């Protein structure tokens, strides 16, 4: 995988959107659109925090070489990440593009008190079917579909505003 920083802005935006779509597809493809958007928002929130990697792909594949130690289970389960369900993949790509574009407007929306997603500051989530130990140390924000979302105050204080590179995604076609 090439370094995301070495790519042109246009290519980087497509690459990042692809990684975000993979996360949405593998983590939430059975969810309603709001649940898929919420999962995507967590990835973007992590990217904006100095506590996590500085790229979407970096966030999605953090610790991927360490079995069962990655941030997103599909990234280190030793199975192909290639989407097999065409309709679900197309939906995940659309959600990824939408959320990346919306993230560009989050700062403006915050000024007016509108348009912020319910998980605007979520940095963690888990499926309802599991009960991870880390959840006790974080503040629960919301339940959307089959996931519970949390925030870490320390991580929020280290968040950067949305980056300009995300604005490019609105005009970039699918890879």
């Amino acid at each position: 995988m090439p370094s995301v920083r070495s790519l042109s802005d246009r290519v980087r935006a497509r690459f990042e959107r692809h990684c975000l779509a993979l996360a949405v597809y593998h983590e939430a493809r059975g969810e309603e659109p709001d649940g898929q958007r919420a999962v995507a928002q967590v990835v973007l929130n992590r990217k904006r925090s100095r506590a996590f990697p500085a790229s979407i792909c970096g966030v999605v594949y953090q610790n991927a070489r360490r079995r069962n130690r990655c941030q997103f289970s599909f990234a280190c389960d030793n199975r192909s990440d290639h989407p097999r369900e065409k309709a679900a993949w197309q939906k995940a790509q659309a959600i990824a593009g939408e959320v990346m574009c919306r993230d560009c407007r989050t700062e403006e929306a915050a000024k007016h008190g509108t348009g912020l997603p319910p998980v605007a500051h979520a940095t963690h989530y888990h499926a309802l079917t599991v009960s991870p130990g880390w959840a006790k140390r974080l503040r629960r924000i919301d339940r959307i579909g089959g996931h519970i979302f949390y925030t870490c105050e320390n991580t929020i204080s280290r968040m950067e505003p949305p980056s300009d590179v995300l604005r490019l995604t609105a005009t970039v076609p699918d890879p």
Side-chain angles (χ1 to χ4, degrees):
M1 180 182 309
S3 167
V4 174
R5 293 179 198 272
S6 68
L7 303 173
S8 73
D9 285 347
R10 193 170 184 81
V11 172
R12 180 176 48 213
R14 287 177 60 189
F15 195 61
E16 293 277 88
R17 180 174 173 224
H18 182 80
C19 287
L20 185 59
L22 283 171
V24 171
Y25 175 85
H26 288 288
E27 296 285 311
R29 74 176 166 269
E31 294 286 327
E32 294 295 321
D34 283 347
Q36 292 183 357
R37 287 183 196 101
V39 166
Q41 188 64 50
V42 167
V43 174
L44 294 182
N45 291 346
R46 285 182 172 202
K47 178 204 170 283
R48 289 179 22 224
S49 170
R50 292 183 299 266
F52 294 95
S55 72
I56 291 171
C57 294
V59 167
V60 170
Y61 287 99
Q62 184 178 12
N63 294 330
R65 296 196 192 315
R66 299 172 63 195
R67 180 129 170 92
N68 298 323
R69 297 291 294 157
C70 53
Q71 301 297 308
F72 300 95
S73 57
F74 80 91
C76 63
D77 63 4
N78 289 331
R79 289 190 254 165
S80 172
D81 293 348
H82 182 74
R84 298 184 190 281
E85 299 171 30
K86 186 176 180 180
W89 174 237
Q90 290 173 335
K91 185 176 177 184
Q93 289 176 303
I95 294 283
E98 172 195 329
V99 173
M100 288 175 77
C101 188
R102 182 186 65 204
D103 198 55
C104 298
R105 297 186 300 267
T106 298
E107 195 172 330
E108 186 64 28
K111 290 177 188 174
H112 297 85
T114 61
L116 290 173
V119 294
H121 298 294
T123 52
H124 296 74
Y125 68 89
H126 66 78
L128 295 175
T129 57
V130 297
S131 183
W134 54 258
K136 297 173 189 159
R137 297 186 303 271
L138 302 178
R139 183 170 53 90
R140 181 178 168 159
I141 296 178
D142 204 350
R143 174 186 167 182
I144 301 175
H147 293 94
I148 300 174
F149 295 84
Y150 300 85
T151 191
C152 174
E153 300 301 329
N154 197 19
T155 303
I156 290 174
S157 68
R158 298 171 68 188
M159 278 190 182
E160 301 289 339
S163 73
D164 290 339
V165 77
L166 296 179
R167 288 184 177 87
L168 297 171
T169 61
T171 59
V172 177
D174 290 334

